Amino acid sequence: MAELKIELITIGDEILLGHTLDTNAHWIASRLTENGHRLRWISVVGDNASDLRHQLRRAWNRADIVLLTGGLGPTHDDITRPIIADFFDDNLIPNPELAERIRSRFVGRGLKPPPGCHLLAEFPSRATPMPNEHGSAPGIHYSLDDHELFAMPGVPVEMKGMLSDYVLPHLATIRSGVFGYRILRTAGIGETRLAELIGDRERLSPATLAYLPSVDHGVTLRISCTGADTGEIDQALQKAEDYIRSRVDSHIYAAGDEPFEKAILDMLEERNMKLALAESCTGGMIASRIVSVPGSSNSFERGFVTYSNRAKTELLGVDENLLQKHGAVSAEVAAAMAEGARLKAGVDIAVSVTGIAGPTGGTTEKPVGLVFTGVSDGDGCEVQRYHFIGDRDANRRRSAQAALVMLWRRLKDVLPQTGVKV
Amino acid sequence: MAELKIELITIGDEILLGHTLDTNAHWIASRLTENGHRLRWISVVGDNASDLRHQLRRAWNRADIVLLTGGLGPTHDDITRPIIADFFDDNLIPNPELAERIRSRFVGRGLKPPPGCHLLAEFPSRATPMPNEHGSAPGIHYSLDDHELFAMPGVPVEMKGMLSDYVLPHLATIRSGVFGYRILRTAGIGETRLAELIGDRERLSPATLAYLPSVDHGVTLRISCTGADTGEIDQALQKAEDYIRSRVDSHIYAAGDEPFEKAILDMLEERNMKLALAESCTGGMIASRIVSVPGSSNSFERGFVTYSNRAKTELLGVDENLLQKHGAVSAEVAAAMAEGARLKAGVDIAVSVTGIAGPTGGTTEKPVGLVFTGVSDGDGCEVQRYHFIGDRDANRRRSAQAALVMLWRRLKDVLPQTGVKV
């Protein structure tokens, strides 16, 4: 029942030079944790054959599972494939099936396969290719002596697809001991306050609880447990989930992997309501989050990115006098934007945001980070005021989340679904 | 004149669990690079004595300079100080001067020194304390056998102060060799095609070139070089940059850290042009990228997220017959959206996107990933067709980038700035 020892090797000068923040490592660590694994080491080496070779040897010796990202592409600084093959005393041989897959990716889009792309089909003879849904370079999987190595591309979308579709399912099959977890997703409440409300962790035993906060998508709760069989684990997890729900159920929007936007769109669909958005400082970020959900067109009608005052007046009918009197960043304008968006779009509910994202544009009275969100529906209009303390990006992300939380609460508490129970 | 070999050890479970993005490592790497050093290894270990001991031994063996962050505080999981002392066969002894410094920090702010804070003044007998301007825990500096170890707190503000005020000045006195780099940013061209155009890498010698691709922000080129002095390096970097520019200059939008959106906004401002956006499948993503730049309000007037056909007709004046005849995802509708956005917003230039992001909604004739982008200005209207192969998120990101590339090219090639040379 020993835990798998997992090491991640990230390859890339760009990280060591400080050009790129290693978000891949962070994403991989999060996904492993969510799936009940624990990353034990992260090692970053440059595009340097000798350093990679040394790290590979060390990782293979100390870890059960070695994950690599980076250096799998077709250019000269992509050294991972030959070095891995060499490390396992293996050869790169042309793989016709891979060559055809790579060629057809280009041809299928009416493109000529670029020179050098045939190199990608030279594959270690004893490894298994991991399919790459989002790019040309296949991943490399070696399974030897109860050890596993998974080499993935460094391009985030390619790495993410491969980890989700291949590596995590594979790890689930070789896990030692029975392990289970459940995910509960919360919105609109911080980690500290959640911990206060949940209180005594002993009540959850034998399950344990982890808080996974994020700057702009709420706090995720992970309940996990190890045991003799799945029945025993399910029982322990259910007991812990029941207890947690008895304390903080009103803050939980979903169980499992469902994103917040999806939960909101489902609620809109259940209520047969259409949504419009009016965004100023978030500048399309809320719309983009909503549209990230497949099928969002069922409930999302349109968005207004009214960045200028003229746009607020022309598109949303916000009174110029209101803008003059209270300023664009005010409760009054947030309300007028939400109402205007709802009426102009001819929809059932609309959400607005106006704020000062920074770094400039703040005053003593209206500092950077001051944000108003509004929601308007047939029953009325609500406005909330926030003061975020972060950089432009963080303030915009938090504003978008705050607006979505407001919409969610309005749907949940004020506009309960009629007919069917939610 | 060998380059100093520098290793950074980051200590903290929160990074391995994916709760915290390791921004300390990124900041340290950037500052080292700016100061002509190069970080060779980053190793992340948990709050685990055995793993830290092993990593310390390895780092001390392979690196000239070992930097550590984390675990210097007064709580039970702050294990760094005793482990370092033990590693150097040293003892922790009470240091009255440090004790007084720590005590007076609290007393000076009218606070009672917390219990446990006296532990911070138990310091390795052969190390030098590094002053902490922003917190209680002093840093630890060992200098032994031409090797240096600098242990800093994990709290970003404390670490940053110590690195800037103590570590970097110290490294400057023991530097051997100089390192320099330049960054060129490209858009609208892939890594493979760039490599083909640039051709023979020998022409860049003694500088070297790295390609840093990203799915949705273009390929970054990094030219780097090591040499005897900064003059020599500048010359080599300039030679390499000149050569690269002679091959691919038209694909380079900026040198240095400038984001693509910023380059586009600057071009709009130079031309005194106002921008509007009409987005369907990207759903506000382009607007959000534009608004991420401080001061974007100077040139960005508004955005339309016309997700429904009704919104396309009502807000942009797209002819219903056109939508019926060609479908919403068509060159004709992309053109009508761009023209409509420009005219309705009363601006100089507008960009449109319409496409099928997937995973559903595709047909044989119009498959998932089919995207049209349009740009309209006083001189006319252009449309381009793309077929992306990715998931919903990747297709949307690539669509947003394609639209921005089209706008950038239009500004650069068709609407050159009048008066001042671009």
Side-chain angles (χ1 to χ4, degrees):
Chain A
M1 298 286 276
E3 196 175 88
L4 287 175
K5 286 184 276 186
I6 306 180
E7 172 154 2
L8 170 66
I9 303 177
T10 303
I11 300 158
D13 283 342
E14 63 278 16
I15 293 159
L16 293 170
L17 289 168
H19 296 164
T20 304
L21 189 59
D22 192 359
T23 51
N24 275 356
H26 180 241
W27 192 87
I28 291 170
S30 304
R31 291 306 313 268
L32 288 172
T33 302
E34 275 178 24
N35 284 272
H37 303 289
R38 185 153 48 166
L39 188 57
R40 178 134 170 207
W41 303 278
I42 300 172
S43 304
V44 185
V45 296
D47 301 322
N48 167 323
S50 148
D51 285 354
L52 176 54
R53 243 179 247 120
H54 278 100
Q55 194 58 46
L56 204 49
R57 177 161 313 116
R58 183 172 173 77
W60 192 253
N61 285 337
R62 68 181 175 182
D64 303 308
I65 309 290
V66 179
L67 306 174
L68 273 106
T69 61
L72 280 186
T75 64
H76 69 281
D77 54 346
D78 291 312
I79 57 175
T80 305
R81 196 173 41 246
I83 284 175
I84 290 178
D86 189 57
F87 177 78
F88 288 111
D89 208 6
D90 198 355
N91 298 305
L92 295 175
I93 56 170
N95 181 322
E97 206 179 304
L98 278 178
E100 176 50 30
R101 237 195 114 259
I102 295 165
R103 206 191 59 83
S104 66
R105 251 188 84 80
F106 287 95
V107 174
R109 292 144 75 197
L111 299 170
K112 215 183 111 198
C117 88
H118 67 278
L119 288 175
L120 292 174
E122 297 195 352
F123 200 81
S125 72
R126 288 186 280 114
T128 309
M130 298 195 280
N132 185 342
E133 297 301 327
H134 306 286
S136 298
I140 302 171
H141 175 203
Y142 273 100
S143 184
L144 270 177
D145 310 327
D146 286 332
H147 281 46
E148 314 273 334
L149 176 137
F150 301 91
M152 297 171 282
V155 180
V157 64
E158 302 182 21
M159 177 282 289
K160 289 178 183 183
M162 225 174 258
L163 191 90
S164 301
D165 299 343
Y166 188 102
V167 180
L168 289 175
H170 199 93
L171 289 185
T173 67
I174 57 171
R175 183 197 306 284
S176 49
V178 186
F179 173 89
Y181 75 100
R182 293 190 186 179
I183 296 288
L184 299 175
R185 301 200 182 265
T186 73
I189 180 168
E191 182 183 0
T192 313
R193 181 73 186 128
L194 272 174
E196 249 174 64
L197 290 175
I198 291 172
D200 188 5
R201 284 159 172 261
E202 290 305 310
R203 296 287 298 268
L204 304 169
S205 176
T208 58
L209 174 64
Y211 298 87
L212 315 176
S214 80
V215 73
D216 59 355
H217 281 73
V219 178
T220 296
L221 302 175
R222 191 194 62 240
I223 317 165
S224 53
C225 189
T226 317
D229 59 61
T230 47
E232 182 186 317
I233 286 175
D234 271 349
Q235 207 178 357
L237 291 175
Q238 189 60 50
K239 187 190 109 182
E241 178 175 343
D242 289 346
Y243 176 71
I244 291 169
R245 285 196 180 268
S246 75
R247 313 296 299 233
V248 296
D249 198 43
S250 67
H251 303 283
I252 295 170
Y253 66 81
D257 263 342
E258 187 169 290
F260 194 33
E261 303 83 8
K262 174 79 166 67
I264 290 172
L265 283 163
D266 285 350
M267 290 168 87
L268 287 166
E269 208 163 346
E270 285 161 2
R271 287 163 180 74
N272 197 25
M273 294 176 84
K274 296 274 184 193
L275 171 70
L277 299 168
E279 304 184 55
S280 188
C281 65
T282 49
M285 190 183 275
I286 305 175
S288 189
R289 281 183 61 178
I290 291 286
V291 171
S292 72
V293 180
S296 44
S297 54
N298 292 343
S299 307
F300 177 52
E301 217 281 330
R302 73 184 66 173
F304 303 90
V305 184
T306 51
Y307 207 51
S308 66
N309 280 352
R310 185 161 69 80
K312 290 182 185 75
T313 303
E314 287 180 16
L315 293 178
L316 305 174
V318 176
D319 189 334
E320 276 180 45
N321 295 326
L322 207 66
L323 286 162
Q324 286 258 311
K325 190 169 164 198
H326 301 285
V329 179
S330 61
E332 290 79 3
V333 169
M337 286 172 68
E339 298 216 322
R342 181 171 64 86
L343 297 171
K344 295 277 181 179
V347 294
D348 308 290
I349 191 163
V351 172
S352 67
V353 185
T354 179
I356 302 161
T360 58
T363 62
T364 322
E365 213 177 61
K366 295 194 174 177
V368 165
L370 180 68
V371 173
F372 294 90
T373 60
V375 58
S376 161
D377 56 54
D379 287 345
C381 183
E382 268 185 74
V383 174
Q384 286 201 3
R385 181 186 186 279
Y386 300 88
H387 185 193
F388 299 115
I389 299 179
D391 63 11
R392 184 176 179 86
D393 184 55
N395 288 340
R396 292 179 65 229
R397 288 177 186 279
R398 288 185 174 130
S399 301
Q401 177 72 3
L404 289 174
V405 166
M406 200 177 176
L407 170 59
W408 173 61
R409 292 218 175 110
R410 183 91 186 163
L411 289 170
K412 191 162 61 86
D413 300 336
V414 184
L415 305 165
Q417 192 190 0
T418 48
V420 192
K421 194 175 174 301
V422 185
Chain B
M1 293 296 271
E3 196 176 273
L4 286 176
K5 287 184 275 186
I6 307 179
E7 172 154 1
L8 170 65
I9 302 176
T10 303
I11 300 157
D13 282 342
E14 63 279 14
I15 294 159
L16 294 171
L17 288 170
H19 295 168
T20 305
L21 190 59
D22 192 0
T23 50
N24 275 356
H26 181 241
W27 192 86
I28 291 170
S30 305
R31 293 303 313 269
L32 288 171
T33 303
E34 275 172 27
N35 285 273
H37 304 287
R38 184 152 49 167
L39 188 57
R40 181 136 168 205
W41 302 278
I42 300 173
S43 304
V44 185
V45 295
D47 300 323
N48 167 323
S50 150
D51 286 354
L52 175 55
R53 244 179 245 120
H54 278 101
Q55 195 57 46
L56 203 52
R57 177 162 312 117
R58 184 172 172 79
W60 192 252
N61 286 336
R62 67 182 176 183
D64 302 310
I65 309 290
V66 178
L67 306 174
L68 273 106
T69 61
L72 281 186
T75 64
H76 69 281
D77 54 347
D78 291 310
I79 56 175
T80 305
R81 196 174 45 245
I83 284 176
I84 291 177
D86 187 58
F87 177 77
F88 289 110
D89 209 7
D90 198 356
N91 298 306
L92 295 176
I93 56 169
N95 181 320
E97 206 180 305
L98 278 177
E100 176 50 30
R101 236 194 114 260
I102 294 164
R103 207 191 59 84
S104 66
R105 248 189 85 80
F106 287 96
V107 174
R109 290 144 75 200
L111 299 170
K112 217 181 113 197
C117 89
H118 66 279
L119 288 174
L120 293 173
E122 297 194 352
F123 201 80
S125 72
R126 287 185 281 114
T128 309
M130 299 195 282
N132 186 344
E133 296 301 327
H134 305 283
S136 300
I140 302 171
H141 175 202
Y142 273 100
S143 185
L144 271 176
D145 311 326
D146 286 331
H147 281 46
E148 314 273 335
L149 177 135
F150 301 92
M152 298 172 282
V155 181
V157 63
E158 302 181 22
M159 177 280 290
K160 289 179 182 182
M162 223 173 260
L163 192 91
S164 302
D165 300 343
Y166 188 102
V167 180
L168 288 174
H170 198 94
L171 289 185
T173 67
I174 56 174
R175 178 206 308 285
S176 50
V178 186
F179 170 83
Y181 75 99
R182 291 188 187 181
I183 296 291
L184 299 174
R185 300 198 182 265
T186 74
I189 181 169
E191 179 183 3
T192 314
R193 180 76 186 128
L194 271 173
E196 239 175 75
L197 290 174
I198 291 171
D200 187 7
R201 309 166 42 77
E202 290 305 311
R203 297 286 298 271
L204 304 170
S205 175
T208 59
L209 175 64
Y211 298 87
L212 315 176
S214 80
V215 73
D216 59 355
H217 282 72
V219 177
T220 296
L221 302 174
R222 189 191 60 241
I223 318 164
S224 53
C225 189
T226 317
D229 59 59
T230 49
E232 183 187 314
I233 285 177
D234 271 349
Q235 209 177 355
L237 291 176
Q238 188 61 48
K239 188 190 108 181
E241 178 174 344
D242 289 345
Y243 175 72
I244 291 170
R245 285 195 179 270
S246 75
R247 312 297 299 236
V248 296
D249 199 42
S250 67
H251 302 284
I252 294 170
Y253 67 80
D257 264 342
E258 187 170 288
F260 193 34
E261 303 82 8
K262 175 78 166 64
I264 290 172
L265 283 164
D266 284 350
M267 290 169 86
L268 287 166
E269 207 161 349
E270 284 161 4
R271 287 160 181 76
N272 197 24
M273 293 176 84
K274 296 273 184 194
L275 170 70
L277 298 169
E279 304 184 56
S280 188
C281 65
T282 49
M285 190 183 274
I286 306 176
S288 189
R289 282 183 60 178
I290 291 285
V291 171
S292 72
V293 180
S296 43
S297 53
N298 292 342
S299 306
F300 177 52
E301 217 280 330
R302 72 183 68 173
F304 302 90
V305 183
T306 51
Y307 207 52
S308 66
N309 281 353
R310 184 161 70 82
K312 292 182 183 76
T313 304
E314 288 181 14
L315 293 177
L316 306 173
V318 176
D319 190 334
E320 275 179 47
N321 295 326
L322 206 68
L323 285 162
Q324 287 258 310
K325 191 171 165 197
H326 301 285
V329 179
S330 62
E332 290 79 3
V333 169
M337 285 171 68
E339 298 217 321
R342 181 172 64 87
L343 297 172
K344 295 278 181 178
V347 295
D348 307 291
I349 191 163
V351 173
S352 67
V353 184
T354 178
I356 302 160
T360 58
T363 62
T364 322
E365 213 178 61
K366 296 195 174 177
V368 166
L370 179 70
V371 172
F372 294 90
T373 61
V375 58
S376 162
D377 56 53
D379 287 347
C381 184
E382 268 184 75
V383 174
Q384 285 201 3
R385 180 186 186 280
Y386 300 88
H387 184 190
F388 299 114
I389 300 179
D391 63 10
R392 184 177 180 87
D393 184 57
N395 288 339
R396 293 178 65 227
R397 288 177 187 278
R398 286 182 175 134
S399 301
Q401 177 72 2
L404 289 173
V405 167
M406 198 177 179
L407 170 60
W408 173 61
R409 291 218 175 109
R410 183 90 187 167
L411 290 170
K412 188 163 63 86
D413 301 337
V414 184
L415 305 165
Q417 193 190 2
T418 49
V420 191
K421 195 176 174 300
V422 186

